[in-house]
Amino acid sequence: MTSERPTREQIELLLEAATHAPNHHNAQPWKFIVLAGHAREELGTVMAKSLADRLEETNSENAQARLNKERNKPLRSPIVIVVVAEPSKQPKVMEIENIEAAAAAVQNMLLTAEEMGLACMWRTGDAAYDPQIKQWLGLESGDQIVAFLYLGYPAIPRLERIPIAFKEKTTWTGWE
Ligand SMILES: Cc1cc2nc3c(=O)[nH]c(=O)nc-3n(C[C@H](O)[C@H](O)[C@H](O)COP(=O)(O)O)c2cc1C
């Protein structure tokens, strides 16, 4: 992605699309945290610190390179939107269903971004499941990070991806 930042209006259209995602019992179990500018740098610093805590040593060239790479990850796009699923507060809504709803919200954002000519990539990685990151973002303990959505303008053409044919993934039953 280039360093050109999408406008606030463009990002708000994505967020609006997200809130129309299907969700069970109208739970609307999502939260969004839009990180721009120095907030991405701060996230990178927390990610690198957390990785350092997990490494056996941090002095070698190899460890320093890994820490640097981690620190720079959120700088790969001008905007990172953290999409969070809240825990279920209703007995009829299973825990997984709120994650599914938040994932549907992410897909709405991806499709809207595509339509607008923006580049948008769904990433997770260790940081998504890291208590230090959740704390820095001010999340509740039951909240789950479903996506780090990297958003910007495409710098390179999208790589072609050929999916496994649906025929190999589908069973038709009772179809005469
Ligand atoms: C839950 C989830 C997590 C993902 N995490 C990563 C990730 O951390 N890093 C990555 O390179 N791609 C990740 N991907 C894959 C990309 O978002 C994307 O689907 C893939 O690169 C194919 O790109 P395309 O859809 O533009 O063809 C993840 C996808 C999903 C659904």
Side-chain angles (χ1 to χ4, degrees), residues 45-65:
T45 303
V46 183
M47 283 166 62
K49 187 193 165 296
S50 180
L51 175 60
D53 291 347
R54 277 178 272 133
L55 293 178
E56 277 175 18
E57 57 80 28
T58 55
N59 291 326
S60 67
E61 220 173 274
N62 182 35
Q64 284 297 317

Side-chain angles (χ1 to χ4, degrees), residues 43-87:
L43 173 62
T45 303
V46 183
M47 283 166 62
K49 187 193 165 296
S50 180
L51 175 60
D53 291 347
R54 277 178 272 133
L55 293 178
E56 277 175 18
E57 57 80 28
T58 55
N59 291 326
S60 67
E61 220 173 274
N62 182 35
Q64 284 297 317
R66 281 187 66 186
L67 291 170
N68 249 336
K69 189 172 173 207
E70 195 69 12
R71 192 174 298 107
N72 286 324
K73 277 183 179 172
L75 305 181
R76 291 175 292 192
S77 66
I79 297 289
V80 179
I81 304 177
V82 188
V83 183
V84 177
E86 295 172 339

Side-chain angles (χ1 to χ4, degrees), residues 126-169:
D126 290 342
Y129 314 106
D130 184 331
Q132 292 194 42
I133 307 291
K134 284 168 79 168
Q135 194 186 14
W136 180 76
L137 289 165
L139 300 180
E140 310 281 331
S141 64
D143 288 343
Q144 304 219 45
I145 296 174
V146 170
F148 291 107
L149 269 188
Y150 283 70
L151 179 70
Y153 284 90
I156 49 166
R158 176 200 281 281
L159 297 173
E160 193 186 4
R161 179 167 54 114
I162 300 169
I164 298 169
F166 69 84
K167 286 181 184 168
E168 293 182 39
K169 297 282 186 181

